[in-house]
Amino acid sequence: MNDQQQAIDAFLQHLAQEKRMSPHTVNNYQRDLKQLTVFCEQLELSTWSLLKSSDVRQFISQLHRQGLASRSIQRSLSATRSFYRYLIREGLAENNPAQSVQAPKGEKRLPSTLDVDQMSGLLDGTSQDTMIGCRDRAMMELFYSSGLRLAELAALDLRDVDFGSQLVHVLGKGKKERIVPVGGQAIRALQAWLGQRDELGFFEQSALFLTKQGKRLGVRSIQKRLSYWGKKQGISDKVHPHRLRHAFASHMLEASGDLRAVQELLGHADISTTQIYTHVDFQHLAKVYDEAHPRAKKK
């Protein structure tokens, strides 16, 4: 399927250069379209224009039978739709066979989180006696204090932290900027880390978090460090950046009940994402409703 592969390659180049999508997103599109290519080869379709809606439904059913998660199937379908929009624009197809096809609905699973005591144990139990421990404590405090994504924290530079105002400037998904408060504990942990950083003589480096060699700490290394401290503290479930972000969101929502504020802090474009992302204390919300709504008050 040389012509088909050429179309895919051109589409991926379009995503990277014109749409400016991240390498991670482009790789996901590439993987999803490779599955579609294999399926089309099985049907002996010689050009992309021959694919029909019934074929796409069969493709989705095949993925479902293979045990692929609903979210992954949704992403594959989305990749197919986007690819065909590109093909139509380039005159390589006349219609989008994936446009009206629906993926099977899956359960909306809440991300696992850590309770307040677990978070306190994790953070307070991270020794600051060494350069590595001091840096790791500052990273975890910042994750939990401000609800940052892994890529957001890894990309931070020194200039992004405003210690006077206790704010951090974050470049989030889609290159959207937001400003997030930083708690007192996180500020102190960061100041302790900067003291260690200066002692090592890393004055020219712009990155906030560095390796022993003075290079920016990568996302994989950050994941490994959090996993290490989780195991050291005896936390049964794996500790990773997403769980700390989720703990931040859950604890903020449970304490405030302000879903909109949590949405802004997390940098979610859609509030429905925040609703899925956080554990809602429904009893608390029901109590607030009963006390506040004029038609809910009991006589």
Side-chain angles (χ1 to χ4, degrees):
M1 293 181 71
N2 292 332
D3 291 343
Q4 283 86 335
Q5 188 57 51
Q6 285 177 4
I8 289 177
D9 292 342
F11 171 62
L12 296 174
Q13 191 174 17
H14 161 73
L15 295 180
Q17 297 181 358
E18 293 182 39
K19 294 289 188 180
R20 297 192 179 279
M21 290 187 174
S22 70
H24 176 71
T25 302
V26 174
N27 286 337
N28 283 338
Y29 272 88
Q30 185 176 30
R31 187 164 51 249
D32 292 333
L33 292 174
K34 185 177 180 180
Q35 288 179 313
L36 181 63
T37 301
V38 172
F39 175 77
C40 288
E41 286 174 345
Q42 292 169 354
L43 296 183
E44 298 183 352
L45 300 178
S46 57
T47 65
W48 287 116
S49 61
L50 295 175
L51 191 70
K52 296 180 289 189
S53 294
S54 58
D55 298 326
V56 177
R57 279 190 284 271
Q58 185 181 340
F59 172 59
I60 295 303
S61 297
Q62 186 181 94
L63 296 179
H64 188 57
R65 287 195 302 272
Q66 290 171 354
L68 203 65
S70 176
R71 189 167 181 175
S72 297
I73 295 174
Q74 290 274 13
R75 192 192 67 203
S76 182
L77 192 55
S78 176
T80 304
R81 289 193 192 107
S82 297
F83 178 49
Y84 268 88
R85 282 196 292 270
Y86 170 81
L87 292 177
I88 291 168
R89 193 189 83 173
E90 296 297 312
L92 298 173
E94 293 183 1
N95 56 67
N96 193 331
Q99 192 61 49
S100 60
V101 179
Q102 297 295 319
K105 291 184 179 180
E107 292 182 5
K108 289 182 178 179
R109 293 185 299 167
L110 289 169
S112 58
T113 189
L114 300 168
D115 62 32
V116 175
D117 290 337
Q118 285 177 312
M119 279 305 312
S120 296
L122 175 65
L123 297 173
D124 295 339
T126 302
S127 172
Q128 292 178 290
D129 296 337
T130 64
M131 170 264 188
I132 297 296
C134 195
R135 179 200 67 195
D136 292 354
R137 172 72 176 268
M139 287 194 305
M140 290 191 288
E141 288 279 8
L142 188 54
F143 269 128
Y144 181 51
S145 163
S146 306
L148 303 188
R149 298 180 178 95
L150 172 58
E152 292 170 348
L153 183 130
L156 286 178
D157 289 333
L158 282 170
R159 65 184 180 185
D160 294 325
V161 183
D162 183 339
F163 285 91
S165 301
Q166 295 194 187
L167 298 169
V168 61
H169 295 252
V170 180
L171 189 63
K173 282 187 175 181
K175 305 295 183 185
K176 291 181 181 177
E177 295 183 12
R178 70 182 190 281
I179 300 174
V180 186
V182 183
Q185 293 272 34
I187 287 289
R188 286 188 284 276
L190 284 167
Q191 287 171 332
W193 156 240
L194 292 186
Q196 289 273 357
R197 194 180 182 282
D198 288 346
E199 284 183 20
L200 293 167
F202 297 141
F203 301 113
E204 300 298 321
Q205 287 80 352
S206 60
L208 178 59
F209 296 111
L210 302 170
T211 65
K212 282 183 177 180
Q213 292 73 38
K215 296 180 180 179
R216 183 183 296 274
L217 197 65
V219 294
R220 188 73 189 102
S221 297
I222 295 171
Q223 290 171 322
K224 285 182 177 178
R225 295 310 302 165
L226 266 63
S227 178
Y228 166 81
W229 287 110
K231 289 175 183 175
K232 192 172 178 66
Q233 295 302 321
I235 297 173
S236 57
D237 294 329
K238 188 177 179 182
V239 173
H240 51 79
H242 189 74
R243 292 194 75 193
L244 267 60
R245 173 172 160 86
H246 182 48
F248 158 82
S250 296
H251 302 165
M252 284 290 296
L253 183 59
E254 287 167 9
S256 69
D258 193 333
L259 196 64
R260 287 287 179 189
V262 175
Q263 177 194 2
E264 289 293 323
L265 291 169
L266 290 172
H268 285 159
D270 191 336
I271 199 165
S272 64
T273 310
T274 316
Q275 289 170 323
I276 296 167
Y277 211 95
T278 55
H279 293 285
V280 182
D281 186 344
F282 287 103
Q283 288 187 336
H284 167 73
L285 293 182
K287 183 180 178 183
V288 170
Y289 178 85
D290 286 341
E291 291 177 353
H293 197 286
R295 302 289 285 183
K297 293 177 181 177
K298 299 178 177 66
K299 290 183 179 180

